[in-house]
Amino acid sequence: MDVEKVERKEVEVDDDGRVRTGTVWTATTHAITAVIGSGVLALPWSVAQMGWVLGPIALIGCAYITYYTAVLLSDCYRTPDPVHGKRNHTYMDVVRSCLGPRDVVVCGLAQYCILWGTMVGYTITTATSIMAVARTDCRHHRGHDAACASSGTMYMVVFGLVEIVLSQFPSLEKLTLISVVAAVMSCTYSFVGLFLSAAKLVSNHGARGTLLGVKIGAAAGVSASTKTWHSLQALGNIAFAYTYSMLLIEIQDTVKSPPSENVTMKRASFYGIGVTTIFYVSLGCIGYAAFGNAAPGNVLTGFDEPFWLVDVANVAVVIHLVGAYQVYAQPIFACYEKWLGARWPDSAFFHHEYAVRLPGGGGGRAARFTMCKLVVRTAFVAATTVVSLMLPFFNAVLGLLGAIAFWPLTVYFPVTMYIAQAKVAPGSRKWVALQALNAGALVVSLLAAVGSVADMVQRLGHVTIFQTQL
């Protein structure tokens, strides 16, 4: 019996001393949770900018590229051999192993830009959702034609204050509760958005929309330049909705073997991205069919009734983003605090720890912090909130984030690392195909970035800074 226990323990402990219990199903669940987020709310608007022809093609095309590069990245979890090589526990570890330290710097800059940009996007989205709740309740009680305009400036400030408090907690991103709540809330508002869109489509007694999306002309109120920028921006929105590669290696690092981790992760990516694509195409197309070319930038803002269900969805968005904000913020905090601490190893500002007893803190429970954490984290969140107040453009921010993330993190690094890992011969058919994918993704990212920035510039001429409107 003792021999059996020892053998079982040897099977459970991996080559790096860790015990992994992840399976294809747990990895699939993590993949779905990682992909589905607030970007889903912009899909009907994105399809409306491109129409019935290009909209679904963009949704399916981004899904295929995300899956294909996920397969390539899965083979780089272990290096130099995808089955027996050394494990890489994070995305940046893979870049370091396959490409070298210079590429790690570029990858780190791209990742942290995305993390910070997502914090800005989440601040804007939260204010939009709270404003939607206020407007929906107002119209329910005062009539659907009532003037129920409200400003989101105060909501952004309050959200920033909440995040300043939460930012003082250590390693909040490691709390399992945050991920569980985020998964439940994202599924809640996503399915409510799909249900409400389907109900509106049925009540319309027919699908709306056109082959090429929003029309150009005085009657439509859209100029040729605006149509172009919005179409390019929509590509960025869709790319942002499929953001997945940054978290793939971390998910793969939870998977047990045998079978080998890359085999399990490829299946999990297929199932996870497949389920997500079905849902995305359904919401994007049904939402477009329900609203036509007038699809709102955030699909939940297009509904007033049933007001309680709309409120539930928008409150779910807020709850999700309150926690998810910290999941993106904490890695940034850890990065610069580690660098500052190493730069000034003898400074009390960075190293002296203060303790404040918590109410009911029997047994020595206390909140511990350094002055660096208190001052710098507060300043960082405050600065992020100010930037959000200056750029209150939900779709444009999502489009820019998608443009920044799509080429380097979803395509360039996975493709380049796979070429190095698999030793794909330069000039071979496979090498040419991979480089063509690389070049095509770069073009898409640049166009989406140009469209998003141009739309921001155009909108800044018609809005008042620090006055956020729904």
Side-chain angles (χ1 to χ4, degrees), residues 256-288:
K256 65 181 180 180
S257 61
S260 61
E261 299 88 358
N262 63 332
V263 170
T264 300
M265 201 62 213
K266 288 174 185 178
R267 289 178 59 198
S269 294
F270 177 78
Y271 297 145
I273 296 175
V275 169
T276 302
T277 301
I278 292 172
F279 180 74
Y280 277 8
V281 172
S282 299
L283 179 58
C285 293
I286 291 175
Y288 179 45

Side-chain angles (χ1 to χ4, degrees), residues 122-341:
Y122 280 3
T123 304
I124 297 169
T125 306
T126 300
T128 301
S129 296
I130 299 175
M131 284 189 290
V133 170
R135 188 182 68 177
T136 300
D137 291 351
C138 171
R139 288 182 175 177
H140 176 74
H141 292 99
R142 297 173 56 186
H144 295 295
D145 296 327
C148 294
S150 62
S151 172
T153 304
M154 179 185 68
Y155 302 133
M156 283 196 192
V157 172
V158 171
F159 180 75
L161 292 174
V162 171
E163 295 303 336
I164 286 174
V165 174
L166 292 179
S167 70
Q168 302 306 314
F169 288 88
S171 302
L172 192 61
E173 82 280 6
K174 294 182 180 179
L175 295 179
T176 303
L177 181 62
I178 294 294
S179 294
V180 172
V181 170
V184 172
M185 293 298 107
S186 62
C187 287
T188 298
Y189 64 70
S190 298
F191 280 107
V192 169
L194 179 59
F195 170 78
L196 292 174
S197 297
K200 181 175 177 63
L201 174 60
V202 171
S203 68
N204 290 341
H205 304 292
R208 297 178 179 178
T210 56
L211 291 178
L212 299 179
V214 175
K215 295 182 178 180
I216 301 171
V222 176
S223 65
S225 61
T226 300
K227 164 74 174 179
T228 302
W229 304 140
H230 283 183
S231 297
L232 297 176
Q233 181 183 314
L235 277 176
N237 286 355
I238 293 172
F240 177 76
Y242 280 107
T243 300
Y244 171 56
S245 296
M246 283 192 300
L247 300 173
L248 182 144
I249 296 298
E250 282 79 354
I251 295 172
Q252 190 167 345
D253 196 41
T254 68
V255 173
K256 65 181 180 180
S257 61
S260 61
E261 299 88 358
N262 63 332
V263 170
T264 300
M265 201 62 213
K266 288 174 185 178
R267 289 178 59 198
S269 294
F270 177 78
Y271 297 145
I273 296 175
V275 169
T276 302
T277 301
I278 292 172
F279 180 74
Y280 277 8
V281 172
S282 299
L283 179 58
C285 293
I286 291 175
Y288 179 45
F291 289 98
N293 294 334
N298 178 336
V299 68
L300 292 179
T301 63
F303 302 100
D304 291 327
E305 298 291 347
F307 81 100
W308 61 270
L309 185 58
V310 178
D311 286 355
V312 165
N314 280 300
V315 170
V317 173
V318 174
I319 295 173
H320 173 202
L321 299 187
V322 165
Y325 183 101
Q326 289 299 317
V327 173
Y328 284 85
Q330 290 288 340
I332 300 178
F333 298 154
C335 179
Y336 72 67
E337 285 170 3
K338 180 180 179 180
W339 181 80
L340 290 172

